[in-house]
C-alpha cells in the first residue's frame, strides 16, 4: 500500500521513516511517499479546501478546525485590520489557505489591499511571527490555536480571527481498500505532542487528525 503526503517541506526523510514505523506498529504495512499522489495511493494528505470529504480532518492545538488570524504587537495598539492599510505584513508561502489567501481576503473585505512590496513571504508560521517580533512587519498571519500560547509572553494580540475552516486532511485514494482502515486508525492517533518529527511535514498549526463526524458533532453542540 502507498500513502502520499503533500508536504510543506522538502526535508522529509526522518518524518517518512518515523511515520512508516508508526504505521507498521499499528498493523499498516505501507510505503510513505511525498509530493504528487500516486495513482494507486490508498490514502493522501492534502493541504487546502476541497469539496471532497476527508476521512480525517487536520485539527489545531485545541482539537478544533483551524481559524486564520492576523496577529499584531500589543504595543502597536491596532484596533482593527483596517489599520493595516499601507503596512508591511508577513504571510506564509505554500498552498495552506491560512498562510495568505484567507487572511488577505479578510483585508480585502474591509478595503485593504497590500501592494506586493508590502508582503513578506515566510516559509512557515514561526518565521512569520519572527518577522513581526523583530519589527520587520506590522502584522503576521497565524492560526488561532497555534499562536495562543505565545501571545502573553511575546506581547502579541490577535487583531482578527476568521471562522473555522477545513484546511487539510487525509483522503482515500484510488487504491483504497479495507486493509487501509488500519492505517486510518494509526493516523487518527497521531499528535504533534507525541512525535514532533513526523509533524514537520505538515503545516505548523496541525496537531492531529480527527474524524469529520466528531468535529461536526462538536460544532453543533457549540
Amino acid at each position: 500500500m502507498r500513502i502520499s503526503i503533500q508536504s510543506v517541506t522538502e526535508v522529509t526523510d526522518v518524518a517518512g521513516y518515523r511515520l512508516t514505523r508508526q504505521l507498521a506498529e499499528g498493523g499498516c504495512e505501507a510505503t510513505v511517499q511525498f509530493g504528487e499522489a500516486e495513482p494507486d495511493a490508498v490514502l493522501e494528505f492534502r493541504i487546502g479546501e476541497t469539496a471532497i470529504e476527508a476521512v480525517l480532518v487536520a485539527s489545531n492545538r485545541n482539537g478544533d478546525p483551524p481559524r486564520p488570524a492576523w496577529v499584531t504587537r500589543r504595543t502597536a495598539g491596532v484596533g482593527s485590520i483596517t489599520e493595516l492599510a499601507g503596512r508591511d505584513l508577513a504571510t506564509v508561502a505554500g498552498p495552506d489557505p491560512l498562510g495568505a489567501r484567507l487572511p488577505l481576503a479578510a483585508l480585502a473585505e474591509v478595503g485593504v489591499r497590500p501592494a506586493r512590496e508590502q508582503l513578506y513571504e515566510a516559509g512557515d508560521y514561526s518565521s512569520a511571527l519572527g518577522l513581526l517580533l523583530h519589527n520587520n512587519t506590522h502584522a503576521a498571519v497565524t492560526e488561532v490555536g497555534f499562536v495562543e500560547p505565545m501571545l502573553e509572553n511575546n506581547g502579541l494580540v490577535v487583531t482578527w480571527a476568521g471562522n473555522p475552516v477545513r484546511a487539510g486532511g487525509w483522503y482515500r485514494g484510488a487504491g483504497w481498500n479495507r486493509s487501509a482502515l488500519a492505517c486510518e486508525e494509526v493516523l487518527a492517533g497521531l499528535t504533534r505532542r507525541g512525535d514532533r518529527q513526523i509533524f514537520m511535514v505538515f503545516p505548523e498549526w496541525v496537531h492531529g487528525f480527527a474524524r469529520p463526524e466528531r468535529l461536526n458533532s462538536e460544532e453543533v453542540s457549540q
Side-chain angles (χ1 to χ4, degrees):
M1 294 188 293
R2 296 180 185 273
I3 290 177
S4 176
I5 297 175
Q6 182 185 10
S7 175
V8 296
T9 177
E10 294 180 359
V11 184
T12 59
D13 289 349
V14 173
Y17 168 76
R18 294 180 70 87
L19 178 55
T20 299
R21 189 175 66 180
Q22 288 262 26
L23 291 168
E25 290 175 356
C28 168
E29 297 294 338
T31 300
V32 178
Q33 297 181 322
F34 297 91
E36 293 297 322
E38 295 290 328
D40 61 345
V42 295
L43 290 167
E44 308 166 6
F45 179 82
R46 286 186 244 147
I47 301 167
E49 302 148 296
T50 174
I52 305 172
E53 184 74 14
V55 291
L56 293 169
V57 179
S59 57
N60 69 9
R61 188 191 302 271
N62 302 321
D64 302 320
R67 297 175 63 196
W70 281 107
V71 64
T72 60
R73 293 183 298 276
R74 188 180 302 277
T75 54
V78 179
S80 72
I81 56 174
T82 59
E83 297 176 39
L84 297 181
R87 302 288 189 170
D88 290 337
L89 310 171
T91 60
V92 176
D96 184 354
L98 280 71
R101 188 176 65 78
L102 292 177
L104 291 177
L107 291 181
E109 287 180 4
V110 296
V112 178
R113 293 176 173 81
R116 179 172 296 181
E117 61 269 20
Q118 293 171 327
L119 298 177
Y120 289 68
E121 193 174 65
D124 54 36
Y125 290 90
S126 292
S127 298
L129 283 177
L131 289 170
L132 172 62
L133 291 171
H134 287 89
N135 295 319
N136 292 311
T137 64
H138 202 72
V141 299
T142 191
E143 191 280 322
V144 172
F146 170 75
V147 80
E148 277 178 345
M150 310 175 198
L151 294 175
E152 185 173 349
N153 289 342
N154 291 286
L156 300 175
V157 62
V158 173
T159 302
W160 169 85
N163 294 323
V165 295
R166 301 291 173 91
W170 290 96
Y171 299 84
R172 290 176 176 173
W176 189 88
N177 57 69
R178 293 192 63 82
S179 299
L181 288 173
C183 308
E184 293 179 15
E185 288 303 309
V186 174
L187 295 171
L190 293 179
T191 64
R192 185 176 291 268
R193 188 177 295 108
D195 196 319
R196 295 185 66 85
Q197 289 179 304
I198 287 177
F199 277 77
M200 293 298 290
V201 298
F202 303 113
E204 282 183 290
W205 57 263
V206 179
H207 270 249
F209 310 102
R211 295 286 184 184
E213 56 269 23
R214 183 184 71 78
L215 290 179
N216 290 338
S217 64
E218 290 183 358
E219 290 167 2
V220 168
S221 66
Q222 292 171 3

